[in-house]
Amino acid sequence: MAERFVIFDVPIDKVNMKQAVDTVEKFLSEDRLHMVATPNAEIVMMAQKDPEYKEILNKTDLNVPDGSGVIFASKIYKEELPERVAGFDLMMELIKVASAKKYKIYLLGAKSDVVKAAYLNLKRQYSEIDIVGFHDGYFSKDDEDEIIHDINEKNTDLLFVALGAPKQEKWIYENRNKLKAKVAIGVGGSFDVIAGKVTRAPEIYRKLGLEWFYRLLKEPWRYKRMMALPKFAVKVLFSKKPK
Ligand code: UDP
């Protein structure tokens, strides 16, 4: 495994997209659950106020650098992360690999019409894809055993969990001993994008590292959460270089 860049006690693997995909493929060949997270500046800041979340992010098998904030931090600390590996992009790359190699996929999360539309869109786009099941993300504790039973019974290899951060990582961690999938990865709002309910920032914004700005324009009500970004940048600039 490549080295890790640790920012405010949250480790991030120094992987590019290809290395991230190769690592997940290796996980898929091993007979245990592997947890994958996609820390961005917002998640790193959430973890500062939530020790349980921080601990979970230290126990995952792979943390990919999601977001220009963490790339910026790695440059300041002279421990450069190779490139941004956005959770959504990683999910789409894994979908391609899984379709070619017949890995079994399960989608858990988002509203029921959204996850269904995401399922149908993926089936339409990737004729070889093997999605063994899907379930919305608005379930109660009482439904959990039944959902996990469904995931396991269908021999899921790759479980995408779209409950938003930190809920998705906490859910995966809490159920790590019950889940028989090989890989579980938290993918935030990705099902909404695949379902066509939310559009991603045009490439120019992504290239300039301004996806967050596009999101602020589109979803201004998120500004409170997004205040984490400037706070993160200030914290990076004023903190000492970690050992
Ligand atoms: N969600 C869910 N169950 C919940 C809360 C949220 O399934 O109890 C879904 C929500 O419908 C959306 C995703 O989780 O599809 C969160 O998207 P968001 O863009 O907020 O993700 P984040 O930025 O937190 O990663």
Side-chain angles (χ1 to χ4, degrees):
M1 170 67 73
E3 271 178 78
R4 309 191 106 185
F5 165 57
V6 181
I7 180 75
F8 310 138
D9 303 324
V10 176
I12 302 179
D13 290 285
K14 292 184 179 177
V15 289
N16 60 23
M17 178 60 82
K18 179 166 189 318
Q19 290 164 324
V21 172
D22 290 349
T23 305
V24 173
E25 271 213 83
K26 187 178 137 282
F27 291 165
L28 286 164
S29 71
E30 295 168 358
D31 209 10
R32 71 170 178 91
L33 180 79
H34 300 75
M35 298 180 286
V36 180
T38 67
N40 55 20
E42 205 178 317
I43 288 180
V44 172
M45 291 308 273
M46 274 183 204
Q48 303 312 300
K49 293 189 197 140
D50 184 344
E52 184 201 342
Y53 194 33
K54 191 187 271 183
E55 198 184 325
I56 292 171
L57 292 169
N58 274 273
K59 288 188 171 155
T60 46
D61 297 276
L62 176 69
N63 287 341
V64 300
D66 178 354
S68 41
V70 294
I71 302 287
F72 160 77
S74 76
K75 282 186 182 149
I76 297 288
Y77 287 99
K78 301 208 167 27
E79 284 202 54
E80 211 146 324
L81 290 161
E83 71 177 351
R84 180 175 176 213
V85 180
F88 176 79
D89 295 332
L90 178 62
M91 175 172 176
M92 296 320 287
E93 288 301 315
L94 292 174
I95 292 274
K96 280 187 217 155
V97 171
S99 304
K101 303 203 173 161
K102 288 279 168 204
Y103 290 119
K104 295 183 192 313
I105 295 170
Y106 198 105
L107 308 175
L108 175 63
K111 297 202 175 115
S112 104
D113 59 323
V114 171
V115 68
K116 178 138 196 236
Y119 163 78
L120 292 172
N121 281 351
L122 287 172
K123 293 262 284 179
R124 206 172 300 134
Q125 223 177 320
Y126 301 91
S127 54
E128 302 292 299
I129 201 166
D130 190 7
I131 304 181
V132 292
F134 62 87
H135 196 288
D136 68 79
Y138 295 86
F139 48 84
S140 68
K141 263 264 170 243
D142 294 343
D143 300 330
E144 258 176 35
D145 279 347
E146 206 177 307
I147 295 168
I148 293 171
H149 182 257
D150 192 41
I151 293 168
N152 291 343
E153 197 180 38
K154 290 175 173 160
N155 294 319
T156 302
D157 295 305
L158 188 48
L159 172 64
F160 291 107
V161 185
L163 302 175
K167 197 170 179 180
Q168 56 202 15
E169 288 80 18
K170 289 186 175 179
W171 190 86
I172 295 169
Y173 186 74
E174 265 166 36
N175 294 297
R176 69 195 179 284
N177 295 324
K178 293 189 199 162
L179 287 165
K180 295 209 174 93
K182 309 277 169 33
V183 173
I185 169 168
V187 290
S190 296
F191 297 177
D192 298 78
V193 179
I194 297 170
K197 305 272 174 198
V198 171
T199 49
R200 263 196 107 192
E203 201 170 342
I204 182 77
Y205 284 82
R206 281 185 262 157
K207 281 221 168 104
L208 294 172
L210 292 173
E211 189 160 12
W212 60 271
F213 179 64
Y214 179 82
R215 198 136 190 217
L216 186 61
L217 293 177
K218 284 274 179 179
E219 301 169 58
W221 56 90
R222 291 176 72 98
Y223 85 94
K224 257 200 179 146
R225 281 185 59 173
M226 292 185 65
M227 281 309 289
L229 276 112
K231 283 188 191 153
F232 174 81
V234 168
K235 194 169 159 72
V236 167
L237 291 170
F238 286 93
S239 64
K240 279 201 205 135
K241 189 180 184 315
K243 284 162 265 151

